[in-house]
Amino acid sequence: MEIKTTAVAGTLESSDIQIMIMNGNNGIEVNLESDVAKAYGEQIKSVIVDTLKSFGLTNAKVKAVDKGALDCVIKARTLAAAQRATKTTDKPSLEVL
């Protein structure tokens, strides 16, 4: 799948995460800003990367600004940003995630 435009999903409110996805060339690169990055940074990045791979993206730059989001919120925001970036709303079936 191909990224057609830069896209954003999420807010900077407490318990949320803002995900920005743009074109990339070196696999999936995640730049994470989070107050809890020391404790949970690798888990947050893993959820983002796994969600994008399940969606079918292999090259993307991701900027994530976390405000204490749970994994389910991270996955939902990542999926929404990926759908907006690829201009698809019918893929994938949510059951695969």
Side-chain angles (χ1 to χ4, degrees), residues 2-53:
E2 179 183 325
I3 294 176
K4 297 177 182 173
T5 186
T6 299
V8 178
T11 69
L12 298 175
E13 298 293 323
S14 181
S15 301
D16 203 353
I17 188 168
Q18 186 177 69
I19 303 285
M20 179 185 293
I21 298 178
M22 56 206 104
N23 279 323
N25 296 326
N26 300 323
I28 298 173
E29 302 173 48
V30 180
N31 176 9
L32 175 65
E33 294 177 25
S34 176
D35 292 338
V36 296
K38 190 172 186 178
Y40 301 106
E42 291 306 313
Q43 173 64 20
I44 294 168
K45 289 178 183 179
S46 176
V47 171
I48 292 169
V49 170
D50 291 346
T51 302
L52 291 177
K53 285 182 179 178

Side-chain angles (χ1 to χ4, degrees), residues 15-17 44 47 66-76:
S15 301
D16 203 353
I17 188 168
I44 294 168
V47 171
D66 174 58
K67 298 294 182 180
L70 298 174
D71 285 359
C72 58
V73 175
I74 298 167
K75 190 179 270 194

Side-chain angles (χ1 to χ4, degrees), residues 48-65:
I48 292 169
V49 170
D50 291 346
T51 302
L52 291 177
K53 285 182 179 178
S54 294
F55 188 73
L57 288 174
T58 54
N59 290 306
K61 287 184 182 178
V62 180
K63 180 178 179 189
V65 182

